[in-house]
Amino acid sequence: MTPTALLAALEPVAEANLDRHLSLAKEWHPHDYVPWDEGRNFAAMGGIDWAPGQSRLGEVARAAMVTNLLTEDNLPSYHRLISESFSRDGAWGTWVDRWTAEENRHGIAMRDYLVVTRGVDPVALERARMICVGQGVDDPTGTGDHAVLHGVAYVTFQELATRVSHRNTGKVCQDPVADRMLARIAADENLHMVFYRNICGAALDLVPDDALEAIVAVIENFRMPGAGMPDFRRNSVLLAKHGIYDLRQHLDEVILPVLRKWNIFDRTDFTPRGERIRENLATFLEKLGKDVVRFEEHRDRALARETARRG
């Protein structure tokens, strides 16, 4: 089935899930999640500029907030890629615009919170945003394929990963204001994930082998869309080390629940080609499970050494 024919076949599913999303999405406003009474002028307006001691966030929370926000900041690139994968017509176009508006709201709320509370250096944050958005995102799937199947498979896993990261960031901030804001954002991300998961599930029913091939390619090459941002590797290691988003969460809270929802390992509609792809997936997941154990052992030893040095 050509991409155009597939989009046409999936449009009723997109329309039904758009209606579902609109019935469940709750209206909220970024300004209701920002403690404005904590705000004060910076030096250009007669106040004082940021200094590290002004932040009530710890190192891990700052790294997580910046990483999550810069990921949201690359929205123009995501909008472009999804528009190219989908269509600007009908339910597809309506969904892309609605999704973009909701994602933009996340960036607004997070940036306002960080600037007002002086959680991070606003100059460094803006410089990082310019670099991040200036680089854009060309192939977050890691597959080199922007077709609709790879697109919906990728955003299904990515939206769920983002939900996990936002929710855990809220907890590590040790600030009820940040926790409440990020819980609200995570709820949006979950609704977005469900939309894409349902679209991809419908694609599996239409073209089982091709959809599975795209899903496996995305899983095997998965990377978060902020991979080009400044300090991404350092911050990702810090987040994984402290349980914001690590390999265990990626496997147990993102990949496996979605595969179970799609009934990947119990389906009977794959051809011999699809069966081979499914066998490759099982092999990859087995290896990933072993990698998770090795990562956790290495992390536990590293944390124990740090504790011993401090103690």
Side-chain angles (χ1 to χ4, degrees):
M1 188 177 290
T2 66
T4 301
L6 183 60
L7 282 171
L10 288 173
E11 182 158 11
V13 182
E15 185 172 3
N17 278 276
L18 172 62
D19 291 341
R20 176 189 181 278
H21 178 84
L22 294 176
S23 71
L24 294 174
K26 298 184 183 299
E27 182 183 45
W28 63 276
H29 308 284
H31 68 267
D32 288 330
Y33 290 79
V34 178
W36 298 101
D37 58 346
E38 295 185 22
R40 48 197 164 122
N41 290 341
F42 292 92
M45 296 289 290
I48 59 171
D49 280 336
W50 185 85
Q54 297 168 2
S55 176
R56 60 172 172 255
L57 301 177
E59 180 188 13
V60 177
R62 287 198 301 271
M65 286 288 278
V66 169
T67 301
N68 290 353
L69 175 53
L70 292 179
T71 300
E72 301 282 1
D73 278 336
N74 242 333
L75 185 60
S77 285
Y78 314 147
H79 177 91
R80 171 178 56 81
L81 289 172
I82 292 178
S83 294
E84 290 173 353
S85 295
F86 292 169
S87 165
R88 296 297 302 142
D89 300 324
W92 293 116
T94 303
W95 165 257
V96 170
D97 290 340
R98 171 74 188 205
W99 173 85
T100 301
E102 291 185 2
E103 291 286 356
N104 190 44
R105 187 163 55 192
H106 301 166
I108 293 170
M110 293 175 68
R111 176 167 284 98
D112 284 349
Y113 167 84
L114 289 174
V115 172
V116 167
T117 63
R118 297 188 176 231
V120 300
D121 181 353
V123 174
L125 181 63
E126 177 60 10
R127 288 172 177 165
R129 186 190 70 84
M130 290 294 293
I131 293 171
C132 191
V133 179
Q135 291 177 343
V137 177
D138 288 325
D139 181 26
T141 69
T143 65
D145 194 330
H146 297 165
V148 61
L149 290 174
H150 289 80
V152 294
Y154 175 77
V155 288
T156 299
F157 295 114
Q158 188 271 327
E159 291 283 3
L160 186 49
T162 304
R163 186 196 81 177
V164 171
S165 182
H166 281 311
R167 198 67 195 91
N168 289 334
T169 298
K171 295 173 183 177
V172 80
C173 284
Q174 298 184 328
D175 174 11
V177 176
D179 192 28
R180 175 173 171 263
M181 174 186 67
L182 291 169
R184 177 63 263 169
I185 291 172
D188 278 3
E189 303 290 17
N190 193 63
L191 285 179
H192 297 164
M193 179 275 294
V194 171
F195 177 92
Y196 292 120
R197 188 187 65 192
N198 290 348
I199 297 295
C200 199
L204 271 164
D205 294 336
L206 285 171
V207 285
D209 288 2
D210 290 344
L212 181 63
E213 184 176 46
I215 290 166
V216 174
V218 166
I219 290 175
E220 290 180 344
N221 296 280
F222 186 84
R223 57 188 180 188
M224 290 297 278
M229 70 178 62
D231 297 323
F232 181 77
R233 180 174 177 78
R234 172 192 173 275
N235 289 344
S236 294
V237 169
L238 195 61
L239 270 54
K241 188 176 178 180
H242 293 277
I244 305 298
Y245 194 82
D246 60 26
L247 205 55
R248 170 69 68 186
Q249 291 158 330
H250 184 62
L251 178 61
D252 290 354
E253 298 181 35
V254 176
I255 293 178
L256 293 181
V258 172
L259 294 181
R260 283 194 293 268
K261 186 69 177 180
W262 288 332
N263 200 32
I264 292 297
F265 289 104
D266 292 319
R267 298 180 72 99
T268 59
D269 52 355
F270 296 126
T271 69
R273 169 179 160 241
E275 295 288 354
R276 289 192 297 272
I277 296 170
R278 181 162 58 180
E279 289 172 6
N280 291 338
L281 173 61
T283 300
F284 177 83
L285 293 177
E286 183 179 4
K287 177 182 180 300
L288 185 59
K290 294 176 181 177
D291 291 343
V292 167
V293 173
R294 283 193 292 269
F295 163 77
E296 290 177 331
E297 291 173 347
H298 176 76
R299 178 179 63 186
D300 291 346
R301 288 194 297 269
L303 289 173
R305 288 194 296 269
E306 285 187 12
T307 300
R309 283 197 299 270
R310 288 196 302 266

